[in-house]
Amino acid sequence: MIKKIVCGVDGTDHSEVALLAAAELAAKFGADLTICLVNVVFGRSPRSPHVPTWTDAEAQKILDDASAFLTGHGHRAAKAVVVSDREASSGLIDFALAHQIDHIVIGTGDKRGLSRLFLGSVAADVAARAPCTVIIAR
């Protein structure tokens, strides 16, 4: 039984595809949907400052836009959270563990070849390490 779904967003077109898939899944099963933005923090040394990818205002705007996108497509509003972590995949996976999430929905880009080799893929990492079902939306 699907009760809790989390959808990882980052403000890209790929996030919108994932949001629609997550919202449809939530509607079909009557599950709770949470939109999760992982604000990746740079700076590994205890003496160096930790610098987030987005300011609080920028992160909130991404979540507000995601919520508006859902309601604009006829879906109900979802809970929205910001998680800070050093890796987007770890932040999403840790959130799923802490909140007993049944499904993770995440979008993916069209990285191929060398760019995928060097940059990696958050979606692939989540799929490989998540403790629950992962849906990668394209």
Side-chain angles (χ1 to χ4, degrees), residues 64-96:
D64 291 346
D65 289 349
S67 294
F69 178 80
L70 280 181
T71 56
H73 281 81
H75 295 285
R76 64 184 168 106
K79 178 180 166 187
V81 298
V82 176
V83 173
S84 293
D85 203 300
R86 289 193 172 128
E87 293 180 351
S89 55
S90 293
L92 196 54
I93 290 166
D94 290 346
F95 180 86

Side-chain angles (χ1 to χ4, degrees), residues 27-135:
K28 180 175 182 175
F29 289 97
D32 292 329
L33 174 60
T34 301
I35 302 168
C36 181
L37 171 73
V38 179
N39 200 354
V40 176
V41 178
F42 298 95
R44 298 206 180 256
S45 168
R47 289 185 249 171
S48 68
H50 293 271
V51 180
T53 302
W54 296 289
T55 65
D56 290 344
E58 291 169 331
Q60 188 60 52
K61 180 169 179 1
I62 292 169
L63 291 177
D64 291 346
D65 289 349
S67 294
F69 178 80
L70 280 181
T71 56
H73 281 81
H75 295 285
R76 64 184 168 106
K79 178 180 166 187
V81 298
V82 176
V83 173
S84 293
D85 203 300
R86 289 193 172 128
E87 293 180 351
S89 55
S90 293
L92 196 54
I93 290 166
D94 290 346
F95 180 86
L97 281 167
H99 294 89
Q100 300 174 339
I101 299 295
D102 301 311
H103 275 62
I104 297 172
V105 181
I106 189 167
T108 187
D110 292 327
K111 293 179 192 159
R112 301 194 196 296
L114 288 178
S115 68
R116 174 146 170 33
L117 178 66
F118 290 119
L119 298 175
S121 169
V122 173
D125 195 32
V126 169
R129 298 188 307 126
C132 60
T133 301
V134 177
I135 296 173

